[in-house]
């Protein structure tokens, strides 16, 4: 069964304290792995798409990496405005043109000033 | 662009009542998704449309749920009759089909928070 597990469930950092969030996935052929950010009371907002092992994407203080089993979202020198829930989702290759995503439960990140 | 627009933002109703949630996707996007989010189960896809046609409704919990997309700029999700376990945040998202440099990212609305008493 296709599955996405994110860890930790919650993370509290001091401003400037770098860390990484993990997304482990089990899928019969990966078409794409997606990272989204969700602020309280808002819908998820797209961050990155990764397609193959070894691929990396960067945006400001965030860098996403991908292996055959997991993805990491590295946060370098975070600021309080990086506080949010970070969601990971995968799309399986074996579903034809179906664009269904399997979502993790997210990591709730709090960055203290 | 105004983004994906959902209404109502909040709905409180009593068990057994009909609930209708509305969504206006981003102009030019050809796919529309309805999701439900809860703490326990996270984001769950209910149904998605491509060019106004339902493609996958396997996530619709039961016959009490129905969705329509009469045209490219409007969709509804209806629950009749509603039950307390339907309480959740319902999100609509639209997408331009992935091709070339377009990664097919989903653009979400701000959600409709439903509470069924």
């Amino acid at each position: 069964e296709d599955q996405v597990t994110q860890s930790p469930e919650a993370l509290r950092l001091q401003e400037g304290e770098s860390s990484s969030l993990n997304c482990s996935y089990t899928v019969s052929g990966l078409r794409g792995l997606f990272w989204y950010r969700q602020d309280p009371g808002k819908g998820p907002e797209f961050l990155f798409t990764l397609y193959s092992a070894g691929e990396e994407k960067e945006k400001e203080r965030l860098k996403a990496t991908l292996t055959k089993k997991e993805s990491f979202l590295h946060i370098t020198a975070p600021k309080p405005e990086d506080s949010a829930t970070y969601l990971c989702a995968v799309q399986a290759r074996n579903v034809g043109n179906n664009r269904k995503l399997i979502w993790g439960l997210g990591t709730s990140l709090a960055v203290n000033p | 662009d105004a983004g994906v627009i959902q209404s109502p933002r909040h709905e409180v109703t009593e068990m057994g009542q009909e609930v209708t949630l509305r969504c206006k996707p981003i102009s030019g996007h050809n796919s529309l998704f309805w999701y439900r989010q809860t703490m326990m189960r996270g984001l769950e896809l209910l149904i998605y449309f491509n060019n106004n046609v339902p493609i996958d409704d396997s996530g619709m919990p039961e016959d009490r749920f129905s969705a329509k997309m009469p045209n490219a700029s409007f969709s509804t999700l209806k629950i009749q009759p509603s039950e307390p376990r339907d309480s959740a945040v319902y999100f609509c998202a639209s997408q331009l089909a992935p091709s070339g440099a377009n990664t097919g990212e989903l653009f979400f609305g701000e959600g409709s928070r439903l509470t069924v008493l």
Side-chain angles (χ1 to χ4, degrees), chain B residues 74-86:
Chain B
F74 183 67
S75 178
T76 59
L77 178 68
K78 185 176 293 186
I79 308 172
Q80 165 64 17
S82 58
E83 296 183 2
R85 59 189 167 128
D86 301 329

Side-chain angles (χ1 to χ4, degrees), chain A residues 76-94:
Chain A
T76 302
K79 298 182 177 182
E81 53 261 44
D82 295 321
S83 298
T85 295
Y86 291 85
L87 297 168
C88 172
V90 299
Q91 184 179 15
R93 186 183 302 279
N94 64 342

